[in-house]
Amino acid sequence: MIPFVDLKKQYESIKDEMDGAIRDVVESCHFVLGEPVEEFEADFAAYCHSRFAFGVNSGTSALHLALLAAGVGAGDEVITVSYTFVATVAAICYTGATPVFIDIDPGTCTLNPDKIAAAITPKTKVVMPVHLYGGCADMDPIIEIARRHNLIVIEDAAQAHGAEYKGRRAGSMGDLACFSFYPGKNLGAYGEGGAVVTNNEQYVQLIKQLRDHGQSEKYYHDRIGYNYRMEAIQGAVLRVKLRHLDDWNRARRKHAETYRRQLTKVGLRMLEEHADRNSVHHIFPVFTEQRDELRQHLRAASVDTGIHYPIPVHLQRGYSHLGYKAGDLPETERASRETLSLPMYAELRTEDVIRVADSVRQFCEQSVEVHP
Ligand SMILES: *Cc1c(COP(=O)(O)O)cnc(C)c1O
């Protein structure tokens, strides 16, 4: 079986370094925030070409804090996409604000900047693009229209650690940015984790207080906050892994190039490549009307796949109160029906990538005969 991801292989490749870092935390008996988290925050901010990073206990918490720091609350509207992991939208709802969905650009599966203007109302406060699959949204026109309308830009960079857009890093382009360190992400903790990143000093104190019960000094609570603190072990784990992230992202890029080379001219749609953007290929999706059949074919060939994501947020039961219906976001809905994620992780062997691609190609050649 070729698995969809393989976290064990990664651990084996850094075992000595990692075991030492974890042991140091356990021996210190300082388990929450503290030095390991502060050191990781400094390293991660520098990695993102940004001034500040704050470690929190999940990407979802990071999104919630960034929205609160931006002043978002009941009565406000946040423009975002429905073609994302549900947390993007859940975080908006936590604040009491209303998510307003616009359709994606099908070439990149990210927020289509041409659709922003028509969605802006006097209540709009934030635009939240998602750098889905490891590729950046088209940030220049997004930032340009946001500036013109006095809107705050928050990047959901949960899948894009190290991705680049015109030489700028994911996390450095918006007013605030949010990362997830869920274990399967390109940079993954040994448990839950996330970070808020910003260049803007005005948010620093608010984010630090909100993640730690509104505390300004021990047992002095200036506001109602949350327990969104990062654990020290996660800080130590992430700091070790960050040193390897560029190598791992390079390996993913190589696998993506192999997939593309092997899969041109078989009639499958793949994401557009942009010369001035550098994806970190968190996910390698292909798109076909026979998605479920292709998945079945690959399973029979011992290839594990994923679907990111089968039901867009605007059609989820828990979000029906927002009032959207099937047909409202045609590109989003088509991508959800057609997307299939092929195995992708740094430790994947090139021969396995080629075996997966051969199996995909075989399916496409067969199905052309069946559906002329
Ligand atoms: C993973 C993810 C999140 C949520 O992060 P958690 O750490 O799981 O809370 C948010 N947005 C996107 C796009 C994600 O992929």
Side-chain angles (χ1 to χ4, degrees):
M1 185 62 142
I2 300 178
F4 178 66
V5 287
D6 187 342
L7 296 177
K8 269 194 184 154
K9 268 196 187 152
Q10 189 195 63
Y11 172 59
E12 283 158 14
S13 74
I14 52 172
K15 188 175 184 321
D16 291 342
E17 222 182 335
M18 190 56 90
D19 290 357
I22 293 172
R23 194 181 331 106
D24 288 349
V25 176
V26 176
E27 283 174 357
S28 80
C29 285
H30 190 127
F31 291 110
V32 179
L33 294 176
E35 219 171 273
V37 173
E38 283 166 22
E39 288 171 348
F40 169 67
E41 288 172 340
D43 290 355
F44 192 65
Y47 183 82
C48 295
H49 299 173
S50 219
R51 286 181 67 198
F52 307 102
F54 303 97
V56 295
N57 61 347
S58 75
T60 308
S61 300
L63 288 161
H64 187 197
L65 284 193
L67 288 158
L68 292 174
V72 172
D76 295 327
E77 292 176 355
V78 176
I79 295 174
T80 191
V81 286
S82 170
Y83 195 64
T84 181
F85 180 60
V86 70
T88 313
V89 185
I92 297 167
C93 295
Y94 298 162
T95 68
T98 304
V100 173
F101 298 124
I102 59 176
D103 214 348
I104 51 169
D105 160 22
T108 60
C109 287
T110 60
L111 186 146
N112 183 342
D114 298 339
K115 307 262 181 193
I116 297 174
I120 293 175
T121 76
K123 295 176 176 172
T124 309
K125 195 148 197 176
V126 164
V127 182
M128 192 147 84
V130 180
H131 304 319
L132 200 74
Y133 299 145
C136 287
D138 193 4
M139 291 303 285
D140 274 350
I142 293 171
I143 290 168
E144 197 265 326
I145 192 165
R147 291 290 167 265
R148 223 167 343 115
H149 292 86
N150 235 340
L151 309 176
I152 294 168
V153 176
I154 301 179
E155 300 168 63
D156 182 341
Q159 302 190 0
H161 322 71
E164 286 175 347
Y165 174 92
K166 302 185 183 176
R168 288 173 284 160
R169 278 260 159 109
S172 69
M173 295 177 276
D175 298 283
L176 294 143
C178 305
F179 289 86
S180 164
F181 306 121
Y182 189 75
K185 300 285 159 87
N186 288 32
L187 179 62
Y190 286 176
E192 305 273 357
V196 182
V197 168
T198 183
N199 269 311
N200 190 335
E201 193 148 22
Q202 87 179 73
Y203 299 120
V204 166
Q205 204 189 355
L206 191 51
I207 293 169
K208 279 178 122 164
Q209 287 191 6
L210 285 170
R211 92 172 152 182
D212 194 9
H213 282 304
Q215 211 168 238
S216 53
E217 53 185 302
K218 200 169 170 76
Y219 302 134
Y220 285 77
H221 305 276
D222 293 1
R223 60 185 82 246
I224 299 174
Y226 301 84
N227 177 358
Y228 283 174
R229 299 175 301 239
M230 177 178 271
E231 295 182 344
I233 284 183
Q234 307 310 342
V237 164
L238 291 164
R239 188 157 183 254
V240 168
K241 284 202 185 186
L242 185 58
R243 299 200 276 263
H244 300 275
L245 181 58
D246 283 338
D247 285 342
W248 292 335
N249 282 344
R250 251 191 302 277
R252 285 174 182 268
R253 195 161 296 134
K254 193 183 101 198
H255 299 329
E257 282 161 12
T258 305
Y259 274 136
R260 295 187 81 86
R261 208 166 38 241
Q262 301 291 318
L263 293 176
T264 46
K265 299 184 208 145
V266 303
L268 277 179
R269 195 160 68 80
M270 292 184 276
L271 292 180
E272 269 170 18
E273 291 274 88
H274 290 259
D276 56 1
R277 300 184 205 175
N278 224 340
S279 173
V280 291
H281 302 284
H282 174 57
I283 301 272
F284 191 90
V286 294
F287 302 85
T288 165
E289 285 170 30
Q290 280 110 47
R291 187 265 311 277
D292 296 335
E293 293 86 341
L294 173 57
R295 187 169 208 204
Q296 203 51 53
H297 173 89
L298 290 173
R299 191 175 294 140
S302 292
V303 175
D304 200 12
T305 56
I307 296 178
H308 302 88
Y309 297 91
I311 303 172
V313 182
H314 73 286
L315 301 179
Q316 295 280 357
R317 195 182 305 152
Y319 294 81
S320 58
H321 65 281
L322 297 173
Y324 292 83
K325 57 183 190 320
D328 285 346
L329 300 166
E331 296 296 350
T332 294
E333 292 164 30
R334 184 162 77 102
S336 292
R337 278 194 306 273
E338 298 187 356
T339 192
L340 186 70
S341 311
L342 302 183
M344 175 55 84
Y345 48 93
E347 299 76 14
L348 202 54
R349 296 175 310 175
T350 303
E351 64 224 68
D352 290 336
V353 178
I354 289 172
R355 180 156 96 67
V356 174
D358 283 346
S359 193
V360 172
R361 202 170 43 221
Q362 186 195 30
F363 172 83
C364 293
E365 281 158 8
Q366 275 170 16
S367 66
V368 169
E369 285 158 26
V370 182
H371 311 270

